[in-house]
Protein backbone atom coordinates (compact mmCIF):
# COMPACT_ATOMS: atom_id res chain seq x y z
CA UNK A 1 0.00 0.00 0.00
CA UNK A 2 2.84 2.36 0.86
CA UNK A 3 4.35 1.69 -2.53
CA UNK A 4 1.05 2.46 -4.22
CA UNK A 5 0.68 5.68 -2.27
CA UNK A 6 4.11 6.92 -3.31
CA UNK A 7 3.88 6.31 -7.04
CA UNK A 8 5.40 9.01 -9.29
CA UNK A 9 2.72 10.88 -11.23
CA UNK A 10 5.15 13.12 -13.16
CA UNK A 11 4.53 11.18 -16.36
CA UNK A 12 0.91 12.29 -16.54
CA UNK A 13 0.21 15.10 -19.05
CA UNK A 14 -0.20 18.50 -17.43
CA UNK A 15 -3.67 19.98 -17.58
CA UNK A 16 -4.09 23.21 -19.54
CA UNK A 17 -5.84 25.86 -17.51
CA UNK A 18 -9.12 26.85 -19.11
CA UNK A 19 -10.70 29.99 -17.73
CA UNK A 20 -14.32 29.14 -18.70
CA UNK A 21 -14.22 26.12 -16.37
CA UNK A 22 -13.04 28.17 -13.41
CA UNK A 23 -16.35 29.78 -12.40
CA UNK A 24 -18.53 26.61 -12.61
CA UNK A 25 -15.91 24.78 -10.57
CA UNK A 26 -15.82 27.54 -7.94
CA UNK A 27 -19.62 27.47 -7.72
CA UNK A 28 -19.64 23.71 -7.25
CA UNK A 29 -17.04 23.87 -4.47
CA UNK A 30 -18.98 26.62 -2.71
CA UNK A 31 -22.21 24.58 -2.88
CA UNK A 32 -20.52 21.45 -1.48
CA UNK A 33 -18.98 23.45 1.39
CA UNK A 34 -22.31 25.00 2.40
CA UNK A 35 -24.03 21.58 2.24
CA UNK A 36 -21.36 19.99 4.45
CA UNK A 37 -21.67 22.70 7.08
CA UNK A 38 -25.48 22.44 7.19
CA UNK A 39 -25.31 18.63 7.40
CA UNK A 40 -22.84 18.84 10.26
CA UNK A 41 -25.08 21.23 12.19
CA UNK A 42 -28.12 19.01 11.63
CA UNK A 43 -26.29 15.85 12.70
CA UNK A 44 -24.85 17.46 15.81
CA UNK A 45 -28.20 18.76 16.96
CA UNK A 46 -30.24 15.61 16.28
CA UNK A 47 -27.86 12.75 17.20
CA UNK A 48 -27.90 11.48 20.79
CA UNK A 49 -24.79 12.37 22.75
CA UNK A 50 -22.13 9.63 22.83
CA UNK A 51 -18.64 9.45 24.26
CA UNK A 52 -16.11 10.35 21.61
CA UNK A 53 -14.29 7.10 22.22
CA UNK A 54 -17.27 4.74 22.34
CA UNK A 55 -16.02 1.32 21.33
CA UNK A 56 -17.31 -1.23 18.88
CA UNK A 57 -17.46 -4.81 20.14
CA UNK A 58 -15.10 -7.03 18.23
CA UNK A 59 -16.30 -10.59 17.83
CA UNK A 60 -13.97 -13.48 18.67
CA UNK A 61 -11.19 -13.98 16.11
CA UNK A 62 -12.29 -15.81 13.00
CA UNK A 63 -15.96 -14.83 13.21
CA UNK A 64 -15.60 -11.96 10.77
CA UNK A 65 -12.78 -12.73 8.29
CA UNK A 66 -13.28 -9.48 6.42
CA UNK A 67 -12.52 -7.39 9.50
CA UNK A 68 -10.27 -9.48 11.72
CA UNK A 69 -7.46 -11.98 11.69
CA UNK A 70 -7.95 -15.39 13.27
CA UNK A 71 -4.86 -15.33 15.45
CA UNK A 72 -5.76 -18.67 17.03
CA UNK A 73 -5.26 -20.61 13.78
CA UNK A 74 -1.63 -21.00 12.76
CA UNK A 75 1.69 -22.70 13.44
CA UNK A 76 4.89 -22.13 15.39
CA UNK A 77 7.87 -21.27 13.18
CA UNK A 78 11.44 -21.60 14.42
CA UNK A 79 13.49 -18.44 13.90
CA UNK A 80 17.13 -18.89 14.99
CA UNK A 81 17.72 -15.13 14.77
CA UNK A 82 14.84 -14.16 17.07
CA UNK A 83 15.78 -12.36 20.27
CA UNK A 84 13.75 -11.97 23.48
CA UNK A 85 12.14 -8.67 24.49
CA UNK A 86 14.00 -8.85 27.82
CA UNK A 87 16.41 -11.24 29.52
CA UNK A 88 16.34 -13.43 32.60
CA UNK A 89 17.86 -10.70 34.79
CA UNK A 90 14.53 -8.85 35.08
CA UNK A 91 14.07 -8.88 38.86
CA UNK A 92 10.29 -9.21 38.73
CA UNK A 93 10.49 -12.72 37.24
CA UNK A 94 9.42 -15.21 39.89
CA UNK A 95 12.27 -17.65 40.59
CA UNK A 96 10.21 -20.67 39.60
CA UNK A 97 9.53 -19.17 36.16
CA UNK A 98 13.11 -18.15 35.38
CA UNK A 99 14.04 -21.12 33.24
CA UNK A 100 17.41 -19.72 32.19
CA UNK A 101 18.57 -19.22 35.78
CA UNK A 102 16.98 -22.57 36.58
CA UNK A 103 19.14 -24.21 33.89
CA UNK A 104 16.29 -25.61 31.82
CA UNK A 105 17.98 -27.23 28.83
CA UNK A 106 15.89 -25.36 26.22
CA UNK A 107 15.42 -22.19 28.26
CA UNK A 108 17.19 -19.95 25.74
CA UNK A 109 15.43 -21.57 22.78
CA UNK A 110 11.90 -20.77 23.88
CA UNK A 111 11.77 -17.28 22.39
CA UNK A 112 13.04 -18.45 19.02
CA UNK A 113 9.64 -19.89 18.20
CA UNK A 114 7.30 -17.40 16.50
CA UNK A 115 3.55 -17.84 16.13
CA UNK A 116 2.47 -17.41 12.50
CA UNK A 117 -1.31 -17.19 12.00
CA UNK A 118 -2.65 -18.57 8.72
CA UNK A 119 -3.37 -15.78 6.25
CA UNK A 120 -1.99 -12.90 8.32
CA UNK A 121 0.79 -11.90 10.70
CA UNK A 122 0.82 -11.30 14.43
CA UNK A 123 2.84 -8.11 14.94
CA UNK A 124 5.44 -8.04 17.68
CA UNK A 125 4.61 -5.13 19.92
CA UNK A 126 7.06 -2.26 20.22
CA UNK A 127 7.48 -1.33 23.94
CA UNK A 128 8.53 2.27 23.24
CA UNK A 129 5.63 2.86 20.88
CA UNK A 130 3.28 1.24 23.39
CA UNK A 131 4.38 3.57 26.21
CA UNK A 132 3.87 6.61 23.96
CA UNK A 133 0.46 5.45 22.74
CA UNK A 134 -0.84 4.58 26.21
CA UNK A 135 0.56 7.51 28.14
CA UNK A 136 -1.51 8.32 31.27
CA UNK A 137 -3.11 4.87 31.25
CA UNK A 138 -3.58 2.28 33.97
CA UNK A 139 -3.71 -1.43 33.13
CA UNK A 140 -4.91 -4.05 35.58
CA UNK A 141 -4.45 -7.83 35.41
CA UNK A 142 -7.10 -9.53 37.54
CA UNK A 143 -6.94 -13.28 38.10
CA UNK A 144 -4.82 -16.19 39.25
CA UNK A 145 -1.07 -16.76 38.97
CA UNK A 146 -1.28 -17.32 35.21
CA UNK A 147 -2.37 -13.70 34.87
CA UNK A 148 0.59 -12.74 37.02
CA UNK A 149 2.74 -14.69 34.54
CA UNK A 150 1.42 -12.43 31.77
CA UNK A 151 1.70 -9.28 33.89
CA UNK A 152 5.38 -9.94 34.64
CA UNK A 153 6.15 -10.56 30.97
CA UNK A 154 4.65 -7.19 30.00
CA UNK A 155 6.39 -5.39 32.85
CA UNK A 156 9.81 -6.79 31.93
CA UNK A 157 9.31 -5.84 28.27
CA UNK A 158 8.52 -2.23 29.22
CA UNK A 159 11.18 -2.05 31.94
CA UNK A 160 13.87 -2.77 29.38
CA UNK A 161 13.10 0.46 27.50
CA UNK A 162 11.98 2.66 30.41
CA UNK A 163 13.87 2.16 33.65
CA UNK A 164 12.35 5.03 35.66
CA UNK A 165 9.82 2.91 37.56
CA UNK A 166 8.14 3.33 40.93
CA UNK A 167 6.46 0.55 42.88
CA UNK A 168 2.84 1.35 43.56
CA UNK A 169 -0.08 -0.93 44.45
CA UNK A 170 -3.46 0.61 43.67
CA UNK A 171 -6.76 -0.61 45.15
CA UNK A 172 -5.83 -3.97 46.63
CA UNK A 173 -3.30 -4.95 44.00
CA UNK A 174 -0.79 -7.67 44.87
CA UNK A 175 1.88 -5.91 42.81
CA UNK A 176 2.03 -2.67 40.83
CA UNK A 177 4.41 -0.32 39.05
CA UNK A 178 4.24 3.08 37.38
CA UNK A 179 6.53 4.05 34.51
CA UNK A 180 7.04 7.64 35.60
CA UNK A 181 8.11 9.17 32.29
CA UNK A 182 4.83 8.08 30.68
CA UNK A 183 2.53 7.74 33.71
CA UNK A 184 1.67 4.20 32.63
CA UNK A 185 0.68 1.92 35.50
CA UNK A 186 0.63 -1.89 35.49
CA UNK A 187 -0.97 -3.74 38.40
CA UNK A 188 -1.75 -7.34 39.26
CA UNK A 189 -4.77 -8.13 41.45
CA UNK A 190 -4.70 -11.70 42.69
CA UNK A 191 -8.01 -13.57 42.81
CA UNK A 192 -8.48 -17.27 42.32
CA UNK A 193 -12.24 -17.49 41.73
CA UNK A 194 -13.06 -13.81 40.96
CA UNK A 195 -15.81 -14.09 43.58
CA UNK A 196 -15.25 -13.74 47.31
CA UNK A 197 -14.62 -17.00 49.14
CA UNK A 198 -13.31 -18.29 52.45
CA UNK A 199 -13.44 -21.21 54.88
CA UNK A 200 -16.86 -22.38 56.05
CA UNK A 201 -17.60 -24.49 59.12
CA UNK A 202 -20.89 -25.87 60.36
CA UNK A 203 -22.76 -23.78 62.88
CA UNK A 204 -23.45 -25.48 66.21
CA UNK A 205 -27.00 -24.12 66.06
CA UNK A 206 -27.58 -25.81 62.72
CA UNK A 207 -28.71 -24.51 59.36
CA UNK A 208 -29.71 -25.61 55.87
CA UNK A 209 -26.29 -26.92 54.89
CA UNK A 210 -25.79 -28.51 58.30
CA UNK A 211 -29.07 -30.38 57.91
CA UNK A 212 -27.74 -31.84 54.66
CA UNK A 213 -24.69 -33.22 56.45
CA UNK A 214 -22.09 -30.56 55.56
CA UNK A 215 -19.50 -29.97 58.25
CA UNK A 216 -16.88 -27.82 56.50
CA UNK A 217 -15.85 -26.46 53.13
CA UNK A 218 -15.42 -23.14 51.32
CA UNK A 219 -18.13 -20.52 51.07
CA UNK A 220 -18.27 -18.83 47.65
CA UNK A 221 -20.49 -15.74 47.34
CA UNK A 222 -21.28 -15.88 43.63
CA UNK A 223 -22.58 -12.31 43.50
CA UNK A 224 -19.78 -10.60 45.46
CA UNK A 225 -16.38 -9.88 43.87
CA UNK A 226 -13.19 -10.54 45.80
CA UNK A 227 -11.94 -7.57 47.82
CA UNK A 228 -8.63 -7.58 45.95
CA UNK A 229 -10.19 -6.15 42.79
CA UNK A 230 -13.71 -4.91 43.58
CA UNK A 231 -12.60 -1.27 43.95
CA UNK A 232 -10.12 -1.30 41.06
CA UNK A 233 -12.75 -0.77 38.38
CA UNK A 234 -12.94 2.94 39.12
CA UNK A 235 -9.21 3.30 38.51
CA UNK A 236 -8.03 1.12 35.63
CA UNK A 237 -8.52 2.11 32.00
CA UNK A 238 -7.76 -1.38 30.65
CA UNK A 239 -8.44 -4.69 32.39
CA UNK A 240 -7.51 -8.30 31.64
CA UNK A 241 -9.44 -10.93 33.61
CA UNK A 242 -8.97 -14.67 33.95
CA UNK A 243 -10.17 -17.53 36.12
CA UNK A 244 -10.44 -21.28 35.74
CA UNK A 245 -7.51 -23.18 37.22
CA UNK A 246 -8.86 -23.26 40.76
CA UNK A 247 -12.36 -24.39 39.82
CA UNK A 248 -11.37 -27.96 39.02
CA UNK A 249 -8.71 -28.36 41.72
CA UNK A 250 -9.50 -31.26 44.08
CA UNK A 251 -6.14 -30.68 45.80
CA UNK A 252 -7.48 -27.26 46.88
CA UNK A 253 -11.21 -27.90 47.17
CA UNK A 254 -11.73 -31.59 47.94
CA UNK A 255 -15.31 -32.41 46.88
CA UNK A 256 -15.76 -34.57 50.00
CA UNK A 257 -13.72 -32.98 52.77
CA UNK A 258 -13.68 -29.30 51.68
CA UNK A 259 -16.26 -28.72 48.92
CA UNK A 260 -17.19 -25.41 47.35
CA UNK A 261 -20.49 -24.26 48.86
CA UNK A 262 -22.19 -21.51 46.90
CA UNK A 263 -24.15 -18.60 48.36
CA UNK A 264 -26.30 -16.04 46.55
CA UNK A 265 -27.87 -12.98 48.19
CA UNK A 266 -26.30 -14.16 51.43
CA UNK A 267 -28.13 -17.49 51.42
CA UNK A 268 -26.81 -20.96 50.54
CA UNK A 269 -27.77 -22.31 47.13
CA UNK A 270 -29.97 -25.32 47.86
CA UNK A 271 -29.73 -27.98 46.73
CA UNK A 272 -25.93 -27.48 46.59
CA UNK A 273 -24.55 -27.38 43.04
CA UNK A 274 -21.36 -28.75 41.51
CA UNK A 275 -18.40 -26.45 40.71
CA UNK A 276 -19.26 -26.17 37.00
CA UNK A 277 -22.70 -24.75 37.85
CA UNK A 278 -21.20 -22.46 40.48
CA UNK A 279 -18.64 -21.32 37.90
CA UNK A 280 -21.45 -20.26 35.57
CA UNK A 281 -23.16 -18.36 38.39
CA UNK A 282 -19.95 -16.50 39.23
CA UNK A 283 -19.25 -15.62 35.59
CA UNK A 284 -22.78 -14.26 35.16
CA UNK A 285 -22.58 -12.05 38.25
CA UNK A 286 -18.98 -10.90 37.69
CA UNK A 287 -19.65 -9.86 34.09
CA UNK A 288 -22.67 -7.86 35.27
CA UNK A 289 -20.62 -6.27 38.05
CA UNK A 290 -17.79 -5.26 35.72
CA UNK A 291 -20.06 -3.77 33.09
CA UNK A 292 -21.96 -1.81 35.74
CA UNK A 293 -18.96 -0.47 37.69
CA UNK A 294 -16.24 0.01 35.07
CA UNK A 295 -15.27 3.60 34.34
CA UNK A 296 -16.69 5.05 31.09
CA UNK A 297 -14.61 4.30 28.01
CA UNK A 298 -12.61 1.54 29.73
CA UNK A 299 -11.56 -1.49 27.69
CA UNK A 300 -12.19 -4.93 29.20
CA UNK A 301 -10.65 -8.25 28.16
CA UNK A 302 -11.20 -11.77 29.42
CA UNK A 303 -8.35 -14.15 28.67
CA UNK A 304 -9.22 -17.72 27.77
CA UNK A 305 -7.79 -20.66 29.67
CA UNK A 306 -4.06 -21.34 29.74
CA UNK A 307 -3.46 -25.05 28.97
CA UNK A 308 -1.46 -27.42 31.15
CA UNK A 309 0.82 -30.11 29.67
CA UNK A 310 1.10 -32.92 32.22
CA UNK A 311 1.98 -36.25 30.64
CA UNK A 312 2.10 -39.57 32.48
CA UNK A 313 -0.20 -38.33 35.23
CA UNK A 314 -1.31 -35.13 36.93
CA UNK A 315 1.01 -32.92 38.98
CA UNK A 316 0.60 -35.05 42.12
CA UNK A 317 0.82 -38.35 40.20
CA UNK A 318 4.31 -38.01 38.76
CA UNK A 319 3.24 -36.07 35.65
CA UNK A 320 5.96 -34.29 33.70
CA UNK A 321 6.51 -32.02 30.68
CA UNK A 322 9.93 -32.81 29.24
CA UNK A 323 9.40 -32.02 25.56
CA UNK A 324 12.00 -29.87 23.83
CA UNK A 325 9.89 -28.68 20.88
CA UNK A 326 6.29 -27.63 20.25
CA UNK A 327 3.72 -30.37 19.71
CA UNK A 328 2.42 -31.45 16.32
CA UNK A 329 -1.29 -30.82 15.57
CA UNK A 330 -2.21 -34.48 16.05
CA UNK A 331 -0.39 -34.50 19.41
CA UNK A 332 -2.35 -31.44 20.51
CA UNK A 333 -5.64 -33.16 19.79
CA UNK A 334 -4.55 -36.29 21.59
CA UNK A 335 -3.63 -34.29 24.68
CA UNK A 336 -6.54 -31.84 24.80
CA UNK A 337 -9.54 -33.40 23.08
CA UNK A 338 -12.62 -33.42 25.30
CA UNK A 339 -13.43 -36.87 23.93
CA UNK A 340 -10.29 -38.31 25.52
CA UNK A 341 -11.12 -36.74 28.91
CA UNK A 342 -7.42 -36.69 29.73
CA UNK A 343 -5.35 -35.00 32.42
CA UNK A 344 -5.34 -31.64 30.63
CA UNK A 345 -9.00 -31.52 29.58
CA UNK A 346 -9.46 -28.49 31.86
CA UNK A 347 -8.50 -25.89 29.22
CA UNK A 348 -11.20 -26.56 26.65
CA UNK A 349 -13.74 -27.38 29.34
CA UNK A 350 -13.25 -23.98 31.00
CA UNK A 351 -13.45 -22.22 27.64
CA UNK A 352 -16.90 -23.68 26.97
CA UNK A 353 -18.14 -21.87 30.08
CA UNK A 354 -16.29 -18.65 29.26
CA UNK A 355 -17.65 -18.32 25.74
CA UNK A 356 -21.21 -18.95 26.92
CA UNK A 357 -21.15 -15.84 29.10
CA UNK A 358 -18.69 -13.60 27.28
CA UNK A 359 -19.75 -13.63 23.64
CA UNK A 360 -22.71 -11.33 24.23
CA UNK A 361 -20.99 -9.17 26.83
CA UNK A 362 -18.94 -6.01 26.53
CA UNK A 363 -15.77 -7.91 27.41
CA UNK A 364 -13.45 -8.76 24.54
CA UNK A 365 -12.23 -12.34 24.43
CA UNK A 366 -8.46 -12.73 24.34
CA UNK A 367 -8.09 -16.23 22.92
CA UNK A 368 -4.66 -17.64 23.79
CA UNK A 369 -5.63 -21.27 24.35
CA UNK A 370 -5.06 -23.07 21.06
CA UNK A 371 -1.76 -21.38 20.18
CA UNK A 372 -0.55 -22.26 23.69
CA UNK A 373 -1.63 -25.90 23.44
CA UNK A 374 1.31 -26.57 21.10
CA UNK A 375 3.90 -25.31 23.62
CA UNK A 376 4.48 -28.34 25.81
CA UNK A 377 8.15 -27.31 25.73
CA UNK A 378 7.64 -23.92 27.38
CA UNK A 379 6.81 -24.77 31.00
CA UNK A 380 9.39 -24.62 33.82
CA UNK A 381 9.08 -28.39 34.33
CA UNK A 382 11.71 -29.55 36.86
CA UNK A 383 13.56 -26.21 36.55
CA UNK A 384 10.77 -24.59 38.58
CA UNK A 385 12.34 -25.89 41.76
CA UNK A 386 9.19 -27.57 43.07
CA UNK A 387 8.91 -31.14 44.35
CA UNK A 388 6.89 -31.87 41.21
CA UNK A 389 7.16 -30.70 37.62
CA UNK A 390 5.52 -27.33 36.94
CA UNK A 391 3.61 -27.94 33.73
CA UNK A 392 1.10 -25.16 34.37
CA UNK A 393 3.02 -21.88 34.52
CA UNK A 394 5.30 -20.65 31.74
CA UNK A 395 9.00 -19.85 31.50
CA UNK A 396 9.94 -16.17 31.26
CA UNK A 397 10.95 -14.97 28.77
CA UNK A 398 8.75 -17.30 26.80
CA UNK A 399 5.23 -18.01 25.61
CA UNK A 400 3.43 -15.28 27.55
CA UNK A 401 5.36 -12.71 25.53
CA UNK A 402 3.35 -13.95 22.55
CA UNK A 403 0.20 -13.54 24.64
CA UNK A 404 1.15 -9.89 25.07
CA UNK A 405 1.75 -9.49 21.34
CA UNK A 406 -1.78 -10.76 20.80
CA UNK A 407 -3.21 -8.66 23.65
CA UNK A 408 -1.68 -5.43 22.36
CA UNK A 409 -2.61 -6.14 18.73
CA UNK A 410 -6.22 -6.66 19.79
CA UNK A 411 -6.10 -3.71 22.20
CA UNK A 412 -4.95 -1.39 19.43
CA UNK A 413 -7.70 -2.72 17.21
CA UNK A 414 -10.33 -2.01 19.86
CA UNK A 415 -9.00 1.36 21.01
CA UNK A 416 -8.62 2.91 17.59
CA UNK A 417 -11.84 1.62 16.07
CA UNK A 418 -14.74 3.89 16.99
CA UNK A 419 -18.37 3.83 16.02
Amino acid sequence: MAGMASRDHSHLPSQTKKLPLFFPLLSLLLFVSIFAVLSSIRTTSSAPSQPRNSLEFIKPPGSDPARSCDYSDGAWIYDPNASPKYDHTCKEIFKGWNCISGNKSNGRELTKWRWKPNGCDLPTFDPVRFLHMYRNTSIGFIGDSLNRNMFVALFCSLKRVSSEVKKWRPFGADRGFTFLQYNVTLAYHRTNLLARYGRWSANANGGVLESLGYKEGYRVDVDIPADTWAESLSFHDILIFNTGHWWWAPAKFDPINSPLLFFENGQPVVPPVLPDVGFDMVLKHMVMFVEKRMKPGAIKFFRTQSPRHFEGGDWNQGGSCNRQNPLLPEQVEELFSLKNNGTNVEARLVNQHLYKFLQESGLHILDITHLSEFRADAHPSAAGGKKHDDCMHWCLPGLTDTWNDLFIAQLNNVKFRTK
Side-chain angles (χ1 to χ4, degrees), residues 270-283:
V270 179
V273 297
L274 294 175
D276 61 332
V277 178
F279 186 39
D280 286 347
M281 296 176 73
V282 167
L283 287 175

Side-chain angles (χ1 to χ4, degrees), residues 6 81 90 102 226 251 319 337 400:
S6 60
N81 298 316
C90 179
S337 173
T400 47

Side-chain angles (χ1 to χ4, degrees), residues 75 98 150 157 168 186 198 204 210 241 267 297 315 338 367 405 412:
N98 197 324
M150 185 179 177
S157 296
W168 187 53
L186 300 184
E210 288 83 352
F241 292 90
Q267 299 299 318
W315 67 272
L338 292 175
D367 184 0
D405 287 338
N412 291 340

Side-chain angles (χ1 to χ4, degrees), residues 32 57 61 94 101 106 167-168 184 188 222 247 266 282 352 381:
V32 170
F57 176 70
F94 178 63
S101 294
N106 66 334
K167 287 186 178 181
W168 187 53
V184 170
Y188 165 61
V222 299
W247 286 92
V282 167
Q352 288 184 340
S381 188

Side-chain angles (χ1 to χ4, degrees), residues 139-389:
I139 303 171
F141 290 80
I142 295 176
D144 56 35
S145 57
L146 274 300
N147 246 18
R148 180 182 172 186
N149 217 174
M150 185 179 177
F151 156 80
V152 172
L154 181 57
F155 169 79
C156 290
S157 296
L158 300 178
K159 179 71 162 49
R160 188 173 185 178
V161 300
S162 182
S163 59
E164 192 178 355
V165 180
K166 180 180 179 180
K167 287 186 178 181
W168 187 53
R169 297 189 298 172
F171 295 102
D174 182 71
R175 312 187 73 79
F177 302 91
T178 297
F179 292 86
L180 298 177
Q181 184 179 350
Y182 302 93
N183 193 30
V184 170
T185 294
L186 300 184
Y188 165 61
H189 300 257
R190 180 175 177 83
T191 172
N192 297 324
L193 306 179
L194 290 184
R196 186 176 73 183
Y197 79 97
R199 293 290 309 187
W200 177 89
S201 296
N203 191 315
N205 297 324
V208 176
L209 293 177
E210 288 83 352
S211 68
L212 296 174
Y214 287 96
K215 296 180 180 180
E216 62 179 342
Y218 286 87
R219 170 175 173 159
V220 182
D221 287 280
V222 299
D223 50 351
I224 302 177
D227 294 339
T228 53
W229 68 273
E231 300 300 322
S232 70
L233 301 184
S234 62
F235 177 77
H236 293 303
D237 305 291
I238 300 167
L239 280 172
I240 307 97
F241 292 90
N242 98 290
T243 191
H245 289 286
W246 285 65
W247 286 92
W248 283 266
K252 304 291 185 182
F253 307 116
D254 186 282
I256 302 300
N257 298 319
S258 55
L260 293 175
L261 302 170
F262 299 98
F263 285 66
E264 188 173 25
N265 296 321
Q267 299 299 318
V269 175
V270 179
V273 297
L274 294 175
D276 61 332
V277 178
F279 186 39
D280 286 347
M281 296 176 73
V282 167
L283 287 175
K284 174 185 175 182
H285 281 289
M286 295 305 103
V287 168
M288 292 171 56
F289 180 82
V290 170
E291 293 189 324
K292 181 179 179 180
R293 297 292 186 89
M294 199 72 193
K295 62 191 296 188
I299 302 174
K300 308 169 288 291
F301 287 93
F302 207 111
R303 178 178 59 72
T304 60
Q305 187 71 351
S306 172
R308 312 182 315 154
H309 286 89
F310 287 99
E311 297 184 73
D314 213 327
W315 67 272
N316 57 348
Q317 301 169 339
S320 61
C321 44
N322 298 320
R323 296 182 183 263
Q324 298 292 300
N325 295 301
L327 299 175
L328 299 173
E330 56 269 25
Q331 293 173 319
V332 166
E333 287 309 304
E334 181 180 348
L335 203 60
F336 292 102
S337 173
L338 292 175
K339 295 179 181 179
N340 295 338
N341 195 30
T343 302
N344 305 290
V345 72
E346 169 194 283
R348 297 185 182 183
L349 183 64
V350 168
N351 281 358
Q352 288 184 340
H353 292 264
L354 295 181
Y355 273 95
K356 180 168 67 174
F357 287 95
L358 295 174
Q359 282 186 316
E360 301 302 323
S361 76
L363 281 79
H364 304 280
I365 299 174
L366 185 64
D367 184 0
I368 56 85
T369 304
H370 186 55
L371 67 86
S372 304
E373 288 177 339
F374 291 90
R375 298 306 303 275
D377 59 316
H379 297 284
S381 188
K386 296 183 177 181
K387 295 180 180 179
H388 59 83
D389 276 17

Side-chain angles (χ1 to χ4, degrees), residues 86-93 98 100-101 108 156 159-160 396-397:
Y86 54 92
D87 61 34
H88 65 286
T89 63
C90 179
K91 294 182 179 180
E92 189 60 18
I93 300 176
N98 197 324
I100 295 177
S101 294
R108 295 185 183 276
C156 290
K159 179 71 162 49
R160 188 173 185 178
L396 294 179

